[in-house]
PDB file of all heavy atoms in Angstrom:
ATOM      1  N   GLY A 539      35.651  28.351  -3.445  1.00 90.00           N
ATOM      2  CA  GLY A 539      34.486  27.641  -3.977  1.00 90.00           C
ATOM      3  C   GLY A 539      33.164  28.261  -3.580  1.00 90.00           C
ATOM      4  O   GLY A 539      32.126  27.907  -4.126  1.00 90.00           O
ATOM      5  N   TYR A 540      33.178  29.177  -2.602  1.00 89.00           N
ATOM      6  CA  TYR A 540      31.930  29.805  -2.177  1.00 89.00           C
ATOM      7  C   TYR A 540      31.577  31.030  -3.021  1.00 89.00           C
ATOM      8  O   TYR A 540      30.467  31.533  -2.946  1.00 89.00           O
ATOM      9  CB  TYR A 540      32.027  30.281  -0.714  1.00 89.00           C
ATOM     10  CG  TYR A 540      32.197  29.188   0.309  1.00 89.00           C
ATOM     11  CD1 TYR A 540      32.528  29.502   1.623  1.00 89.00           C
ATOM     12  CD2 TYR A 540      32.016  27.847  -0.015  1.00 89.00           C
ATOM     13  CE1 TYR A 540      32.685  28.513   2.583  1.00 89.00           C
ATOM     14  CE2 TYR A 540      32.172  26.868   0.944  1.00 89.00           C
ATOM     15  CZ  TYR A 540      32.508  27.197   2.244  1.00 89.00           C
ATOM     16  OH  TYR A 540      32.650  26.235   3.195  1.00 89.00           O
ATOM     17  N   SER A 541      32.554  31.523  -3.783  1.00 90.00           N
ATOM     18  CA  SER A 541      32.344  32.822  -4.435  1.00 90.00           C
ATOM     19  C   SER A 541      31.363  32.742  -5.600  1.00 90.00           C
ATOM     20  O   SER A 541      31.252  31.722  -6.276  1.00 90.00           O
ATOM     21  CB  SER A 541      33.684  33.382  -4.929  1.00 90.00           C
ATOM     22  OG  SER A 541      34.134  32.626  -6.034  1.00 90.00           O
ATOM     23  N   LYS A 542      30.676  33.859  -5.824  1.00 90.00           N
ATOM     24  CA  LYS A 542      29.732  33.966  -6.934  1.00 90.00           C
ATOM     25  C   LYS A 542      30.449  33.786  -8.257  1.00 90.00           C
ATOM     26  O   LYS A 542      29.947  33.162  -9.185  1.00 90.00           O
ATOM     27  CB  LYS A 542      29.110  35.372  -6.921  1.00 90.00           C
ATOM     28  CG  LYS A 542      27.730  35.422  -6.324  1.00 90.00           C
ATOM     29  CD  LYS A 542      26.978  36.647  -6.874  1.00 90.00           C
ATOM     30  CE  LYS A 542      25.789  36.980  -5.998  1.00 90.00           C
ATOM     31  NZ  LYS A 542      26.015  38.128  -5.120  1.00 90.00           N
ATOM     32  N   GLU A 543      31.663  34.391  -8.340  1.00 93.00           N
ATOM     33  CA  GLU A 543      32.436  34.346  -9.589  1.00 93.00           C
ATOM     34  C   GLU A 543      32.683  32.898 -10.000  1.00 93.00           C
ATOM     35  O   GLU A 543      32.587  32.550 -11.161  1.00 93.00           O
ATOM     36  CB  GLU A 543      33.787  35.065  -9.441  1.00 93.00           C
ATOM     37  CG  GLU A 543      33.715  36.555  -9.177  1.00 93.00           C
ATOM     38  CD  GLU A 543      33.255  36.888  -7.746  1.00 93.00           C
ATOM     39  OE1 GLU A 543      33.589  36.114  -6.822  1.00 93.00           O
ATOM     40  OE2 GLU A 543      32.544  37.893  -7.569  1.00 93.00           O
ATOM     41  N   TRP A 544      33.030  32.072  -9.001  1.00 93.00           N
ATOM     42  CA  TRP A 544      33.302  30.670  -9.319  1.00 93.00           C
ATOM     43  C   TRP A 544      32.048  29.977  -9.842  1.00 93.00           C
ATOM     44  O   TRP A 544      32.091  29.262 -10.844  1.00 93.00           O
ATOM     45  CB  TRP A 544      33.868  29.936  -8.112  1.00 93.00           C
ATOM     46  CG  TRP A 544      33.866  28.433  -8.260  1.00 93.00           C
ATOM     47  CD1 TRP A 544      33.243  27.527  -7.466  1.00 93.00           C
ATOM     48  CD2 TRP A 544      34.532  27.656  -9.287  1.00 93.00           C
ATOM     49  NE1 TRP A 544      33.458  26.251  -7.910  1.00 93.00           N
ATOM     50  CE2 TRP A 544      34.250  26.297  -9.037  1.00 93.00           C
ATOM     51  CE3 TRP A 544      35.322  27.979 -10.395  1.00 93.00           C
ATOM     52  CZ2 TRP A 544      34.725  25.260  -9.833  1.00 93.00           C
ATOM     53  CZ3 TRP A 544      35.791  26.943 -11.198  1.00 93.00           C
ATOM     54  CH2 TRP A 544      35.499  25.599 -10.919  1.00 93.00           C
ATOM     55  N   HIS A 545      30.931  30.226  -9.194  1.00 92.00           N
ATOM     56  CA  HIS A 545      29.701  29.562  -9.624  1.00 92.00           C
ATOM     57  C   HIS A 545      29.387  29.893 -11.074  1.00 92.00           C
ATOM     58  O   HIS A 545      28.953  29.045 -11.846  1.00 92.00           O
ATOM     59  CB  HIS A 545      28.536  29.953  -8.704  1.00 92.00           C
ATOM     60  CG  HIS A 545      28.641  29.313  -7.360  1.00 92.00           C
ATOM     61  ND1 HIS A 545      27.578  28.810  -6.678  1.00 92.00           N
ATOM     62  CD2 HIS A 545      29.729  29.065  -6.590  1.00 92.00           C
ATOM     63  CE1 HIS A 545      27.988  28.290  -5.528  1.00 92.00           C
ATOM     64  NE2 HIS A 545      29.293  28.439  -5.454  1.00 92.00           N
ATOM     65  N   GLN A 546      29.679  31.152 -11.426  1.00 94.00           N
ATOM     66  CA  GLN A 546      29.417  31.564 -12.792  1.00 94.00           C
ATOM     67  C   GLN A 546      30.447  30.955 -13.751  1.00 94.00           C
ATOM     68  O   GLN A 546      30.089  30.349 -14.765  1.00 94.00           O
ATOM     69  CB  GLN A 546      29.466  33.085 -12.867  1.00 94.00           C
ATOM     70  CG  GLN A 546      28.831  33.618 -14.124  1.00 94.00           C
ATOM     71  CD  GLN A 546      28.782  35.136 -14.084  1.00 94.00           C
ATOM     72  OE1 GLN A 546      29.106  35.766 -13.076  1.00 94.00           O
ATOM     73  NE2 GLN A 546      28.394  35.743 -15.182  1.00 94.00           N
ATOM     74  N   MET A 547      31.719  31.090 -13.367  1.00 95.00           N
ATOM     75  CA  MET A 547      32.788  30.602 -14.230  1.00 95.00           C
ATOM     76  C   MET A 547      32.699  29.084 -14.422  1.00 95.00           C
ATOM     77  O   MET A 547      32.868  28.562 -15.523  1.00 95.00           O
ATOM     78  CB  MET A 547      34.151  30.966 -13.623  1.00 95.00           C
ATOM     79  CG  MET A 547      35.297  30.320 -14.347  1.00 95.00           C
ATOM     80  SD  MET A 547      36.908  30.989 -13.933  1.00 95.00           S
ATOM     81  CE  MET A 547      37.135  30.675 -12.247  1.00 95.00           C
ATOM     82  N   ALA A 548      32.425  28.369 -13.321  1.00 96.00           N
ATOM     83  CA  ALA A 548      32.387  26.902 -13.366  1.00 96.00           C
ATOM     84  C   ALA A 548      31.388  26.443 -14.418  1.00 96.00           C
ATOM     85  O   ALA A 548      31.680  25.551 -15.226  1.00 96.00           O
ATOM     86  CB  ALA A 548      32.007  26.343 -12.001  1.00 96.00           C
ATOM     87  N   VAL A 549      30.233  27.066 -14.406  1.00 95.00           N
ATOM     88  CA  VAL A 549      29.176  26.616 -15.299  1.00 95.00           C
ATOM     89  C   VAL A 549      29.367  27.171 -16.711  1.00 95.00           C
ATOM     90  O   VAL A 549      29.336  26.423 -17.689  1.00 95.00           O
ATOM     91  CB  VAL A 549      27.794  27.034 -14.734  1.00 95.00           C
ATOM     92  CG1 VAL A 549      26.684  26.645 -15.693  1.00 95.00           C
ATOM     93  CG2 VAL A 549      27.581  26.380 -13.367  1.00 95.00           C
ATOM     94  N   GLU A 550      29.607  28.499 -16.794  1.00 95.00           N
ATOM     95  CA  GLU A 550      29.620  29.122 -18.120  1.00 95.00           C
ATOM     96  C   GLU A 550      30.904  28.879 -18.890  1.00 95.00           C
ATOM     97  O   GLU A 550      30.881  28.635 -20.088  1.00 95.00           O
ATOM     98  CB  GLU A 550      29.349  30.621 -17.987  1.00 95.00           C
ATOM     99  CG  GLU A 550      27.892  30.875 -17.643  1.00 95.00           C
ATOM    100  CD  GLU A 550      27.633  32.305 -17.225  1.00 95.00           C
ATOM    101  OE1 GLU A 550      28.483  33.170 -17.497  1.00 95.00           O
ATOM    102  OE2 GLU A 550      26.574  32.543 -16.615  1.00 95.00           O
ATOM    103  N   GLU A 551      32.051  28.973 -18.194  1.00 96.00           N
ATOM    104  CA  GLU A 551      33.304  28.826 -18.930  1.00 96.00           C
ATOM    105  C   GLU A 551      33.846  27.412 -18.919  1.00 96.00           C
ATOM    106  O   GLU A 551      34.443  26.952 -19.879  1.00 96.00           O
ATOM    107  CB  GLU A 551      34.363  29.782 -18.360  1.00 96.00           C
ATOM    108  CG  GLU A 551      34.047  31.230 -18.679  1.00 96.00           C
ATOM    109  CD  GLU A 551      34.906  32.178 -17.844  1.00 96.00           C
ATOM    110  OE1 GLU A 551      36.067  31.835 -17.561  1.00 96.00           O
ATOM    111  OE2 GLU A 551      34.383  33.245 -17.471  1.00 96.00           O
TER     112      GLU A 551
END
Side-chain angles (χ1 to χ4, degrees):
Y540 295 169
S541 71
K542 259 204 198 103
E543 296 73 34
W544 166 239
H545 287 220
Q546 196 174 353
M547 171 167 62
V549 177
E550 287 168 17
E551 290 167 34

